[in-house]
Amino acid sequence: MHTAIALVGIVALIVAAKLNPVIVLVLGALYLGLATGLGFEGTTTAVAEGFGGLMAEIGLIIGFGVLLGSLLSATGTLQRIVELFLRVFGKSKSPYALGLSSGVVFPAIYFDVALVMLAPIAKSVARRTGISVAKVGGALAIGLEVGLLMILPGSAALAVSGALGASLGMMLLVGGVVGVLAIIISIFLHGLLMRRTWNPAKDEADDIETSIDIEVADLEEPRRRLPLPVLLLPIVVPLALIVSGTVTEISGAEIGWVTLVSDPIVSLLIGLLLGCVICAYSLSMKAVERAISKGAATSGTILLFNGVAGSLGEVISKTGVGDIVAGLFTTSTLSPLVLAWLVAALLRLAQGSGSVAAITGGTLLLPVVDTLGVNPVLVVLAAAAGASFGGHVNDNTFWMFRGLLGLSTRGAFQVYTVAQSLMGVVALGLVLAASLVV
């Protein structure tokens, strides 16, 4: 009962009172600990241990990932990738080019930053190709959400994987396959639906005034134009190192230096150093400093939220609620993966943020992961799929899509809410299919 009160109170304070989630989660953790008899010292100790424990697992990983994304943004690598994909796919397949490039190639770039960078490209693609902004915008919404929640080093994917103790190597492999298929299938289905439902007269509003600042065009012109494969090294090298560690682990071989460089912290640090060198050579050291400063400001908020989510999870685990929840999961006729999806989907509908829904859902499931009898990677992906479902007016990104793409509110529902909800359902089906072999 007290857990239910705490969770309902958390959602209510975030949604109705508009309080910052960081403050609300700490209040919820303190209430739950005191109400269930942990005592004053026990409660504050659990809050501190939960924060510190989760930061020890994922703090540096998320920090390095966000900084790396900021460097990639500064070098203009994302725009060049989109241009390449458009040339390869052609005009008719431009939604797939935009969705795959935004979701698979650069999940490290923080969602809002990537959106502000890519929205003008999406509008330009729609104008140049004659394809409806509904299809192009929906592809962008799908790709960015997959990159954030399912594909490493997306910040939410890293956070939930760390919270549930999922292998990052397996997450990279399985999440990559599920993510790519989810993007392709969802874009196809959304495009079919938009043919029937999209009405430019009602859904587009190019004359609306937007308060969104699109000044990502302050990118510094490169002094030296480097080949695209070189610009991609900061992201390709860390991913290759992580995969190498998974391969040696599966094969049973133990190679000391491989174990070292395949550790996510070390591999991302290597990528970050490569990014600094490439950015400095291509642009300047001042550009590196600016990118690092922007990334640090962004990562601070992400780390704070992840840490206090860990505090709530630690309190929940010490109250014994995990045993009750485990019983509910084991006695239910539904698949544990479907239940994980439902938990995250309800959280997304209630409070808006996909990251918050995925991370909070993962934290709530932490006490029961070992009892579910499924690979933690699949639980992460199921929660991520659920967290994609139902984003609407209580999500600030909904309004960013509306403003940046020149949509009416009705159009934003079709481009953002419907597209991501379709993807959430498709991804759940893919996760259930993957559970047969993983």
Side-chain angles (χ1 to χ4, degrees):
M1 182 184 70
H2 284 301
T3 303
I5 291 172
L7 295 179
V8 170
I10 287 170
V11 171
L13 288 173
I14 293 174
V15 174
K18 308 295 184 186
L19 288 181
N20 186 284
V22 171
I23 298 171
V24 174
L25 283 168
V26 174
L27 290 174
L30 290 173
Y31 165 79
L32 185 58
L34 294 172
T36 53
L38 288 183
F40 295 107
E41 185 177 350
T43 298
T44 54
T45 299
V47 168
E49 287 179 352
F51 187 98
L54 192 56
M55 284 299 96
E57 289 284 337
I58 64 172
L60 284 175
I61 294 173
I62 290 178
F64 288 164
V66 174
L67 293 178
L68 177 58
S70 185
L71 287 167
L72 293 169
S73 172
T75 57
T77 310
L78 182 55
Q79 289 92 327
R80 290 182 61 180
I81 279 290
V82 173
E83 291 168 5
L84 173 65
F85 270 50
L86 288 174
R87 288 198 299 270
V88 171
F89 282 80
K91 290 184 178 180
S92 63
K93 298 293 188 296
S94 55
Y96 297 94
L98 193 63
L100 288 170
S101 56
S102 60
V104 177
V105 183
F106 290 109
I109 296 180
Y110 192 53
F111 190 108
D112 291 358
V113 175
L115 172 58
V116 173
M117 292 173 61
L118 285 171
I121 296 176
K123 292 185 72 174
S124 174
V125 167
R127 283 194 299 267
R128 283 162 43 195
T129 62
I131 294 176
S132 166
V133 71
K135 295 181 180 180
V136 177
L140 183 59
I142 289 166
L144 288 175
E145 193 77 348
V146 168
L148 173 70
L149 298 172
M150 296 184 188
I151 295 181
L152 298 182
S155 58
L158 282 171
V160 184
S161 299
L164 297 183
S167 163
L168 290 188
M170 285 295 292
M171 181 65 189
L172 182 62
L173 295 172
V174 181
V177 173
V178 169
V180 168
L181 291 176
I183 289 172
I184 294 172
I185 296 170
S186 303
I187 290 175
F188 174 74
L189 294 176
H190 183 255
L192 290 179
L193 183 62
M194 290 302 100
R195 290 181 190 173
R196 297 176 176 272
T197 63
W198 189 257
N199 183 344
K202 295 181 178 179
D203 297 326
E204 296 179 27
D206 290 324
D207 58 331
I208 63 173
E209 303 250 342
T210 176
S211 61
I212 303 296
D213 184 4
I214 309 182
E215 286 189 42
V216 180
D218 62 340
L219 293 176
E220 188 177 320
E221 274 299 315
R223 294 180 302 172
R224 303 177 181 90
R225 187 173 174 83
L226 297 174
L228 186 57
V230 175
L231 294 175
L232 287 172
L233 285 177
I235 196 74
V236 172
V237 170
L239 297 182
L241 291 174
I242 292 172
V243 171
S244 70
T246 303
V247 171
T248 56
E249 182 183 337
I250 293 173
S251 66
E254 286 195 18
I255 306 172
W257 67 270
V258 173
T259 302
L260 173 66
V261 298
S262 64
D263 181 88
I265 293 175
V266 177
S267 60
L268 282 172
L269 176 60
I270 292 171
L272 183 59
L273 292 173
L274 281 171
C276 289
V277 171
I278 290 172
C279 186
Y281 181 80
S282 174
L283 300 171
S284 63
M285 279 305 300
K286 286 186 177 180
V288 175
E289 292 170 9
R290 282 198 300 270
I292 294 295
S293 296
K294 288 182 180 178
T298 301
S299 64
T301 303
I302 299 172
L303 291 172
L304 260 180
F305 176 77
N306 289 330
V308 295
S311 297
L312 178 60
E314 181 69 13
V315 172
I316 288 174
S317 67
K318 288 194 173 181
T319 61
V321 174
D323 297 332
I324 299 172
V325 177
L328 294 175
F329 270 75
T330 55
T331 57
S332 173
T333 57
L334 290 176
S335 159
L337 297 175
V338 175
L339 288 171
W341 187 94
L342 285 171
V343 169
L346 289 171
L347 286 166
R348 176 66 186 274
L349 284 165
Q351 52 75 48
S353 168
S355 296
V356 171
I359 296 167
T360 307
T363 303
L364 293 174
L365 294 169
L366 177 59
V368 300
V369 166
D370 293 337
T371 68
L372 295 181
V374 294
N375 193 310
V377 168
L378 297 176
V379 179
V380 172
L381 292 173
S388 305
F389 186 87
H392 55 97
V393 295
N394 59 358
D395 181 356
N396 72 296
T397 313
F398 173 93
W399 299 106
M400 290 181 69
F401 263 85
R402 181 184 184 275
L404 290 170
L405 293 179
L407 307 173
S408 66
T409 301
R410 180 183 187 272
F413 271 111
Q414 297 213 71
V415 166
Y416 186 74
T417 308
V418 173
Q420 291 190 351
S421 297
L422 266 175
M423 188 273 286
V425 175
V426 168
L428 173 63
L430 292 170
V431 172
L432 292 174
S435 69
L436 300 176
V437 294
V438 175

